[in-house]
Structure formats: C-alpha cells, structure tokens
Amino acid sequence: MAEVADSCFLGFDFSTQQLKVVAIDGALEVVHQSSVQFDSELPEFRTHGGVHIQADQLTVTSPVLMWVKALDVLLQKMRSAGFDFSRVKAVSGSGQQHGSVFWRKGARQTLNQLDPRHPLHELLQDSFAVQDSPVWMDSSTSDQCRDLEAAVGGAQSLADITGSRAYERFTGNQIAKMYCLNPKEYSESERISLISSFASSLFLGDYGPIDYSDGSGMNLMDICEKRWSPACLNATAPRLAEKLGELAPSTAVLGCVSPYYSERYGFPQSCRVVAFTGDNPGSLAGMRLQQGDLAVSLGTSDTVFLWIQDPKPTVEGHIFCNPVDCSAYMALICFKNGSFTRERIRNECAGGSWERFSSALSSTPMGNNGNLGMYFDVMEITPPAAGVHRFNAEGQRAAAFDREVEIRALVEGQFLAKRVHAEKLGYKIIRDTRVLATGGASSNKDILQVLSDVFNAPVYTIDVPNSACLGCAYRALHGLVAETGASFSETLRSAPEPQLAVTPQPGAQEVYEPLLLRYAALEARLLDDS
C-alpha cells in the first residue's frame, strides 16, 4: 500500500448520542479522533440521550438538523486541532440503524449548490419535510408491522424476503406510519434516506444511495436479490421506490466530495466518498470478522455478530447483507440479559467478587453435571421469555442450585443460547472458526473459557473502541481498491491482530453437543408453556 503511505482515511459514526470520527493513515494507525456530544454541545436542540421521547413513550425522534450542525462543529474542531484535510483520500461512515430522513422537494438542488461561506446547518435548514426523524428507539408502529406481515404471507415470509420479521423500529414500518398519519409530509418528501445515506449525501452534495447492508434493516429489501421488494413497497406507501432511489453495494465509491468541502476545509477535490452503512455493519468491519468468524460483545446487552454464507432467516434475529463482502451475509442477535444478570448472580452467589465468581467457574465441571439454567431478569428478545428457569440433569424443574452450580448454569446457559440461535440462522462452526470477544466481560478469562468450550473454538479478545468509526475508516480505504478484487482482509492484513485468549478444553465437544440439543428442547418447552 505504498501509494497510500501519506494518505488519510476518515470514518464517521452518526450514533444516537454523538457524532464521532476516526482518522487512520496508510499504515492503518489511528492518527486522530474527535466527537461532538449532542446533549451538551448542542443544547439548543434539547435532547436527552440524543433523542426526544414523546408523551406516548413509544414515539422517539431526533432533530435532523442537529446531526447536520454536529458535522459543522466536528469539522471545525478538526480544523482547530490542526488536522490536515488535504491528506484525506476517502471518507466513509455509519449511522444508527433504522432512522430515517425525509428530504423536502428542492433539497437536491440545495445540496448541489452548497455555498462554502456558510455552515451546512444554515444552508440546509429548510431542506427537510420532517424536522424530527424517527430513530431506532421508536416502538410506535405495531399496527404497521402487523399489516406488513399480513400483506406478504406472515412473519416467516417477510423474514425470508427481508432477513427479519416486522419490527417497530424498522424503516419500512416507520414510513408506513408517516404516510398514514402525515400524508402531507410524505407527499412533500423528494427522497427518503437512512441516517447513513443521509450522511453520505452531506459529503457528496447530492443524494447518496442506501447501501445493501443498511438497506437490509428496513423490512423493504429482498436480501437475496439485493433490490427493493415490490410486495413490501406496495404494502408500505405509494411511489416509494422513487423516493428511496437505487440501492448500492456497501463497498461502492459513490463519487467525490462536494466542492463545498474542498473550498471550506481543504479536502482534495479527488477525495472519494465510499458508501455509508449502519452502525452494526460498521462494527463488523471494525472487528474485522472473516468468513466463519463469530463475534460476541459482552456488555449491558450481549450481541452476537456472525459472518454467514448460507443464511436461514427465521422470525428471531436479523440477517443483513455483509458490509465488506457483497457475496456474504451478516447476522445479528441481541440478548438483553447480559452484564446486569451476570452481576446479579455474582452479588448473590459470590459476595460481589468477580474473583470468587471465576473460581466457581473453574472449579465446576464442563456441563455442570447436567444442570441447566435460563436467566431472564427482564423480558428477553431471543427467546421472548422472562424469569429464572432451572432444570436438573433429568430435565425436571429445580427451585434452586448450589452457588457454584448457579454461577456455571448462568454462564453456560447464556452461551448455549447464543450458539443455538446462531445455528438457527445458518451459522456453522468450521475448522478455522474464531470467536472474537469484546465488551466488559471479555476481560474475564474463566468466562471466556466457557465461551470457548461451548462453541468448541478458540476465543480471541479484541479491544476496538469506536468500532463502527474505525470500521468505516477501514471501509473507506477498502473502497478505493475493492473494484480490483482486493478483499477486505487482504487490504487490512497489516492491522493489529486479535489476541488469542483461550482454546477449548479436551472433551468440550463431547460434553456440549448433547447439551445444545437439551437446551434447545427445554427452551422450546418453556415457550410452549408460556
């Protein structure tokens, strides 16, 4: 990569609470980071946690002009810090998934004629038909979800087409609600963007297309054909295809930055804009998953990211097009009961000590002598269940476990659930499978040992702060060479490698293969009973 030795690549992330940027150089080293906090640095928009929660507690929005002004503030911060924009060869970015932006008729002409003497938020203040954009936290579209599933033959049929059953936050259902309740604003909309394609539009000075990966989180796109689904569009709103525009590969170079950025900040006129994508796809790129890999983020909620070649959509979890390989897919499964549940069991069974918690894991046998547990302190997403459920080796319910047994039952149960549901979506463990662990609990080697044993694969730790930002800086670089056939992993072969943490213990496969079947059967029984 000698030709980019003195180059710089920017990755932006328009997330819920802040706008962030990471700059990497041609050697893949991070050379600059900056951010703008919406609540504190843009108080005039009066957000809390970056959003407005309406009186019904279901409708959650963010001011679209806040995101525009945040970009003004961020670029000014970078300039004040002495950042040399003339070195930037390409930009890409991500946005919080499922949010939507409704551009008013005439906005495209405004984007085409941006005056570098003025900040973006002044130039674009009249460009939006809807001032407050629906975001991923919104759950006000239950009626639209039911209608969409019914229109295409049910939840599984919709998942077969779009990769997910209908979800309240997904953009298609938000558009359907907008058309139903605000037909004037809908008719005044010239283009409907995702937050990611809205952000690329700001840099292009023209409407940026929705990319395959973020587009597959809308309940509108046929993920196999990589085109809008006529059945889903027709069930959502009229003339929707023309308002959404064409889809683009996630690796596509969309064009060069608007002259606005060259004249105002000193970007090269040749600086390329690579398609922006969603924050979860951006994180997959930041963690540099490869075919066969699985990433587990162990945080407040636990999230599983999967690289999949042969997806099997179900009514749980989500399947998106892969953001770094257009022939592959990524799956995402979120589990609400993550670190808070682990901390509760630590407090109750290990006196609040992680050291004693770890000691219990290391002193109890793999498989926990057949004792299994499912711990749902809050209503879980996958599976949709609540409560604590313990089962002994005979499959009978148990009122309680000994403390050490309880700790292992919790951790094994959490990881058995992750593998069961990953395999339902088409994930297969192969010889070279790696499990990449990140998040707070990834620092606990005994927890990671259980993860390794359950998946029968080595576990690597990866410390990637701002993974979506970093992933999109990587994607900006890859976008410049993707048309030559260079893979994402080849382009980034000199980036820091994850560190091997643990490998499966002897006999792990023999212990956990039958337990996976038992766990799946008990979970199914639990759902039937409820």
Side-chain angles (χ1 to χ4, degrees):
M1 303 298 289
E3 68 276 11
V4 297
D6 193 41
S7 302
C8 199
F9 304 87
L10 298 184
F12 293 87
D13 180 32
F14 288 71
S15 65
T16 309
Q17 300 188 51
Q18 59 185 315
L19 169 60
K20 297 171 282 191
V21 66
V22 164
I24 61 170
D25 61 17
L28 307 179
E29 296 289 337
V30 174
V31 294
H32 182 86
Q33 298 185 70
S34 190
S35 65
V36 175
Q37 303 287 328
F38 298 147
D39 291 0
S40 59
E41 295 186 65
L42 298 171
E44 64 270 30
F45 294 99
R46 299 183 178 182
T47 56
H48 295 281
V51 301
H52 293 147
I53 300 177
Q54 309 302 324
D56 63 3
Q57 299 296 307
L58 300 175
T59 305
V60 184
T61 61
S62 291
V64 63
L65 207 60
M66 178 181 72
W67 298 325
V68 181
K69 189 169 184 180
L71 182 57
D72 286 326
V73 174
L74 184 65
L75 293 174
Q76 181 57 50
K77 273 189 176 185
M78 296 174 73
R79 181 162 60 184
S80 298
F83 184 81
D84 184 3
F85 289 102
S86 70
R87 294 177 57 205
V88 181
K89 293 294 186 289
V91 303
S92 189
S94 61
Q96 52 176 296
Q97 287 199 263
H98 317 303
S100 46
V101 174
F102 294 75
W103 297 90
R104 189 187 303 278
K105 289 177 181 176
R108 180 175 223 156
Q109 185 175 0
T110 303
L111 280 169
N112 291 167
Q113 299 173 352
L114 295 173
D115 185 342
R117 295 173 297 177
H118 301 282
L120 281 173
H121 73 276
E122 290 181 6
L123 298 170
L124 296 175
Q125 59 185 335
D126 298 321
S127 293
F128 305 104
V130 177
Q131 300 301 312
D132 282 296
S133 291
V135 295
W136 66 273
M137 296 170 67
D138 188 284
S139 57
S140 65
T141 62
S142 297
D143 291 344
Q144 288 75 23
C145 289
R146 284 193 293 270
D147 291 346
L148 178 60
E149 289 184 348
V152 300
Q156 183 60 56
S157 294
L158 183 63
D160 289 339
I161 298 168
T162 70
S164 303
R165 68 172 304 165
Y167 283 89
E168 283 85 354
R169 64 188 181 275
F170 274 36
T171 320
N173 307 303
Q174 295 290 339
I175 293 171
K177 176 190 170 186
M178 189 66 65
Y179 170 66
C180 179
L181 300 184
N182 304 95
K184 182 173 181 288
E185 285 83 351
Y186 179 81
S187 67
E188 289 178 351
S189 298
E190 178 175 85
R191 176 63 66 98
I192 301 174
S193 295
L194 297 181
I195 296 174
S196 57
S197 59
F198 149 80
S200 68
S201 302
L202 297 180
F203 284 97
L204 285 167
D206 201 352
Y207 291 142
I210 293 171
D211 81 295
Y212 293 160
S213 194
D214 208 7
S216 48
M218 299 173 69
N219 279 146
L220 292 177
M221 177 183 148
D222 185 323
I223 61 170
C224 295
E225 299 293 330
K226 296 183 173 60
R227 61 182 179 87
W228 300 121
S229 162
C232 294
L233 294 183
N234 292 338
T236 300
R239 307 181 312 281
L240 185 51
E242 64 188 64
K243 293 180 185 290
L244 293 174
E246 296 294 324
L247 290 155
S250 303
T251 55
V253 175
L254 305 180
C256 296
V257 294
S258 163
Y260 176 89
Y261 296 91
S262 301
E263 296 176 32
R264 186 172 177 89
Y265 297 105
F267 280 80
Q269 294 181 359
S270 60
C271 176
R272 304 301 179 89
V273 180
V274 175
F276 283 41
T277 192
D279 53 358
N280 286 308
S283 290
L284 179 142
M287 291 186 285
R288 293 168 46 230
L289 259 67
Q290 301 172 18
Q291 183 173 343
D293 283 350
L294 172 146
V296 179
S297 176
L298 300 171
T300 303
S301 59
D302 289 349
T303 306
V304 176
F305 296 87
L306 309 167
W307 181 298
I308 290 181
Q309 292 298 127
D310 182 25
K312 295 182 174 66
T314 71
V315 294
E316 59 188 36
H318 312 291
I319 291 179
F320 304 132
C321 293
N322 192 300
V324 301
D325 181 345
C326 291
S327 68
Y329 295 85
M330 67 170 283
L332 183 149
I333 316 170
C334 187
F335 301 85
K336 280 186 182 178
N337 294 277
S339 65
F340 287 157
T341 307
R342 287 187 288 271
E343 288 168 8
R344 178 180 69 79
I345 297 297
R346 176 205 63 186
N347 294 340
E348 293 177 2
C349 298
S353 165
W354 282 120
E355 185 175 348
R356 288 170 61 184
F357 186 97
S358 297
S359 177
L361 284 178
S362 62
S363 63
T364 46
M366 287 188 294
N368 212 14
N369 295 317
N371 295 298
L372 284 172
M374 303 176 190
Y375 298 77
F376 309 128
D377 289 1
V378 297
M379 175 60 76
E380 188 52 86
I381 301 171
T382 309
V388 174
H389 310 274
R390 303 177 185 88
F391 302 91
N392 62 23
E394 287 73 42
Q396 300 167 330
R397 284 190 173 270
F401 287 148
D402 291 341
R403 291 181 178 183
E404 291 79 6
V405 173
E406 182 97 302
I407 289 171
R408 179 165 277 275
L410 164 72
V411 178
E412 284 188 344
Q414 288 184 326
F415 293 146
L416 286 166
K418 289 170 178 53
R419 182 166 172 184
V420 164
H421 291 285
E423 291 182 347
K424 282 185 179 181
L425 288 173
Y427 178 77
K428 294 182 178 67
I429 292 178
I430 59 177
R431 188 181 66 178
D432 298 326
T433 288
R434 301 181 305 169
V435 177
L436 306 181
T438 186
S442 66
S443 62
N444 187 312
K445 195 167 184 178
D446 293 289
I447 290 177
L448 295 187
Q449 185 64 63
V450 180
L451 175 62
S452 178
D453 292 339
V454 169
F455 278 86
N456 194 37
V459 172
Y460 295 76
T461 53
I462 181 165
D463 182 17
V464 185
N466 298 324
S467 60
C469 258
L470 180 61
C472 289
Y474 288 158
R475 291 179 57 254
L477 169 58
H478 179 232
L480 295 189
V481 298
E483 289 185 353
T484 69
S487 71
F488 187 72
S489 59
E490 289 169 347
T491 306
L492 299 171
R493 59 183 176 272
S494 62
E497 286 294 328
Q499 300 299 304
L500 178 64
V502 292
T503 57
Q505 298 181 80
Q509 183 170 0
E510 289 73 15
V511 170
Y512 287 108
E513 288 293 340
L515 275 183
L516 286 163
L517 298 175
R518 276 195 62 212
Y519 185 93
L522 287 170
E523 186 184 274
R525 191 176 95 190
L526 175 66
L527 293 176
D528 287 342
D529 292 345
S530 63

